[in-house]
Amino acid sequence: MNTGRARHKVGAFAALCGIGIAAHAQEALPPGITASFDVTQRLEYSDNPDLDIEGDPDFFGRTILGFNLESATSLQNFSLGLGTDIEEGRNDKSSVDLTNTFLRLGYDRATRNASIGTSLRYRESDATTTFFDDDFDNDSNAIDQDTGTRQNYGFGLIGAIGVEAPIGASFDVDYSEVRYSGTDDPDLTDQSTLDTSAQVSFRIDPRIIPRLTAKYFNFDARGDGTNRETTGFGAGVLLEFSPLLTGDFEATYDSIERTGDEVATDDGVSFSAELTRDLTNGTLGARLSSEVSSNGDGRRGFFTVNRDMDLSRRAALSYSLGGTRSENSSFEPLVDVDYVYALPTSQISFGLSQQFNTNSDNEEQINTTLNAGYQHQVNSLSSIGADFSLFDRNELGPQADDGRRVDFSLSYQYALTRDWGLVSGVSHILSTSDSEEDRSSNTIFVGLQRNFSWNP
């Protein structure tokens, strides 16, 4: 009913954003409290900085600020991250404009038999912001945004007691909200999502751990759209057939109530079965599930075979192959690949993820994200990078509105001193959709960057 969180990101593309890339390698800080502050001042020229259908070029300044604070002990961890972009001298805008602001706050504490963790998050994404996977978690219509701002709020809370006791319990609560401003696109609907689950486990034997489960999921489309409220109760069991082979089996009774643009109720039994085997260089697994569908297409089934492996000391590969289909729709393949290869002076990364999603209009989609990156340390002072990202939305209904977005960038960094660095690069963005004209933007920038790190 809600998309799984896509896992693939090419972090090197942050060089174009200017956040978190040190101008010169910093020495490792001792454990305890650590803090860092990044500031970048650069000049940009773009032929379409607002990614409009018919945009005007602009030459302007951008200041990028990022701050991180971490505190770690044997029992607890605290982290704080925040940052923003400051645009200066934009045509037809205020002299100073804050964009792409973000805040992340996390705390967790764990003992031998209990744990608790909490997180807060906020992110503001303008139409021209380079997208990341989690921008499309709940409603991939965001790919059609050609003007305005998208704001994400959220918090999470997890906890567990009796981790090693005969009877244990755990819970997980996550709330997120998306709001749009400065846009008249009717497909961009404000929305909120509450996802909760809890379970009680009974450690009958180290090899046999049954559990009782409960879940509640509420997707609320503010205005036009279809709201979905899901409740479920069930049971499962974790079995260790041998030291190398484990199995996880679960069945729940789910009820999904739809309101808004559609009014209906779907209920029935959902089940899943998963096997995992440890191998000498990784794991091999398979998963089969059948779920109650929320859009009247009958039950939807999933099947995947997954493999994690260490190819060498420098390379790692994980992948899953499978697919999904419902009673009233054809089979759709699903592929997931992660590959990293590291050399002494360079690194290659590749990620491909396909996720099933139901959007605010209750339309089913297969969303594909592809990321590829290459980083190379030319010498002790300079480095280059190339990054490619593709997001493709494939709607499965008869009146499909497919869309895709491509981001490509090249970057270069040079350490002028131990603390100051030169950053430069070019990028290209192309966004297409069946419902509107193509939009593209080309940007070139050059600037200076300073990184401060310390141990208070």
Side-chain angles (χ1 to χ4, degrees), residues 29-36 67-70 453-456:
L29 294 173
I33 300 177
T34 60
S36 65
F67 175 78
N68 285 281
L69 175 66
E70 294 186 5
S453 298
W454 66 96
N455 184 230

Side-chain angles (χ1 to χ4, degrees), residues 112-115 160-170 201 203:
R112 181 176 180 179
N113 210 39
S115 64
I161 58 174
V163 176
E164 299 181 359
I167 300 178
S170 63
S201 302
R203 192 178 296 272

Side-chain angles (χ1 to χ4, degrees), residues 402-431:
D402 297 340
R404 62 210 54 85
R405 173 161 166 163
V406 175
D407 287 54
F408 176 73
S409 70
L410 297 172
S411 61
Y412 173 77
Q413 299 181 63
Y414 183 83
L416 300 173
T417 67
R418 178 177 177 83
D419 299 316
W420 287 93
L422 172 72
V423 292
S424 60
V426 296
S427 66
H428 171 74
I429 300 174
L430 173 64
S431 181

Side-chain angles (χ1 to χ4, degrees), residues 333-399:
L334 295 176
V335 180
D336 204 321
V337 180
D338 252 327
Y339 175 75
V340 176
Y341 183 71
L343 295 171
T345 60
S346 61
Q347 176 173 297
I348 299 173
S349 58
F350 174 84
L352 172 64
S353 174
Q354 290 184 297
Q355 302 287 337
F356 175 81
N357 178 60
T358 303
N359 68 5
S360 61
D361 294 323
N362 213 36
E363 297 169 336
E364 295 182 330
Q365 306 164 335
I366 301 294
N367 294 332
T368 301
T369 304
L370 186 152
N371 290 322
Y374 174 74
Q375 296 293 306
H376 178 65
Q377 191 76 29
V378 179
N379 52 45
S380 61
L381 298 178
S382 62
S383 63
I384 58 175
D387 294 276
F388 174 83
S389 299
L390 165 70
F391 180 86
D392 180 84
R393 182 189 67 238
N394 176 28
E395 293 190 354
L396 305 181
Q399 296 179 335

Side-chain angles (χ1 to χ4, degrees), residues 39-110:
V39 56
T40 300
Q41 177 64 59
R42 70 192 199 192
L43 298 175
E44 293 187 17
Y45 173 81
S46 176
D47 60 359
N48 186 8
D50 294 318
L51 201 62
D52 294 329
I53 294 177
E54 295 182 358
D56 296 323
D58 201 356
F59 179 74
F60 56 97
R62 183 186 299 273
T63 301
I64 304 173
L65 305 175
F67 175 78
N68 285 281
L69 175 66
E70 294 186 5
S71 175
T73 69
S74 59
L75 294 178
Q76 59 188 3
N77 294 279
F78 171 83
S79 63
L80 170 66
L82 53 90
T84 190
D85 292 7
I86 305 174
E87 294 182 348
E88 307 107 357
R90 287 293 309 275
N91 294 333
D92 303 324
K93 290 191 176 183
S94 60
S95 57
V96 176
D97 188 22
L98 296 180
T99 65
N100 307 327
T101 303
F102 70 90
L103 168 67
R104 297 184 301 269
L105 179 65
Y107 173 80
D108 61 83
R109 179 181 176 86

Side-chain angles (χ1 to χ4, degrees), residues 5-244:
R5 188 172 297 273
R7 296 171 297 169
H8 308 300
K9 291 185 175 72
V10 179
F13 193 77
L16 280 181
C17 301
I19 296 177
I21 305 297
H24 191 70
Q26 302 291 319
E27 295 180 359
L29 294 173
I33 300 177
T34 60
S36 65
F37 177 68
D38 296 283
V39 56
T40 300
Q41 177 64 59
R42 70 192 199 192
L43 298 175
E44 293 187 17
Y45 173 81
S46 176
D47 60 359
N48 186 8
D50 294 318
L51 201 62
D52 294 329
I53 294 177
E54 295 182 358
D56 296 323
D58 201 356
F59 179 74
F60 56 97
R62 183 186 299 273
T63 301
I64 304 173
L65 305 175
F67 175 78
N68 285 281
L69 175 66
E70 294 186 5
S71 175
T73 69
S74 59
L75 294 178
Q76 59 188 3
N77 294 279
F78 171 83
S79 63
L80 170 66
L82 53 90
T84 190
D85 292 7
I86 305 174
E87 294 182 348
E88 307 107 357
R90 287 293 309 275
N91 294 333
D92 303 324
K93 290 191 176 183
S94 60
S95 57
V96 176
D97 188 22
L98 296 180
T99 65
N100 307 327
T101 303
F102 70 90
L103 168 67
R104 297 184 301 269
L105 179 65
Y107 173 80
D108 61 83
R109 179 181 176 86
T111 63
R112 181 176 180 179
N113 210 39
S115 64
I116 190 169
T118 184
S119 63
L120 294 173
R121 58 189 184 271
Y122 169 80
R123 183 177 177 188
E124 176 185 297
S125 304
D126 287 349
T128 55
T129 301
T130 299
F131 72 90
F132 291 98
D133 302 334
D134 53 6
D135 283 337
F136 305 94
D137 279 344
N138 296 316
D139 194 343
S140 58
N141 281 334
I143 200 174
D144 294 330
Q145 183 181 352
D146 58 357
T147 59
T149 300
R150 185 175 189 257
Q151 294 177 315
N152 298 69
Y153 308 82
F155 71 84
L157 179 65
I158 60 174
I161 58 174
V163 176
E164 299 181 359
I167 300 178
S170 63
F171 67 90
D172 189 335
V173 179
D174 189 85
Y175 176 82
S176 63
E177 187 168 326
V178 178
R179 296 181 183 178
Y180 295 96
S181 60
T183 178
D184 55 4
D185 189 340
D187 292 330
L188 300 180
T189 302
D190 292 354
Q191 57 194 247
S192 64
T193 303
L194 175 62
D195 192 353
T196 66
S197 63
Q199 71 175 31
V200 178
S201 302
F202 306 90
R203 192 178 296 272
I204 298 177
D205 183 275
R207 298 169 298 175
I208 305 174
I209 307 177
R211 64 183 181 271
L212 299 176
T213 64
K215 63 182 178 182
Y216 176 78
F217 178 85
N218 186 15
F219 176 81
D220 185 6
R222 311 289 175 81
D224 295 336
T226 300
N227 308 317
R228 300 185 297 273
E229 185 177 24
T230 302
T231 56
F233 300 92
V237 60
L238 178 65
L239 300 175
E240 183 181 306
F241 298 108
S242 72
L244 299 179

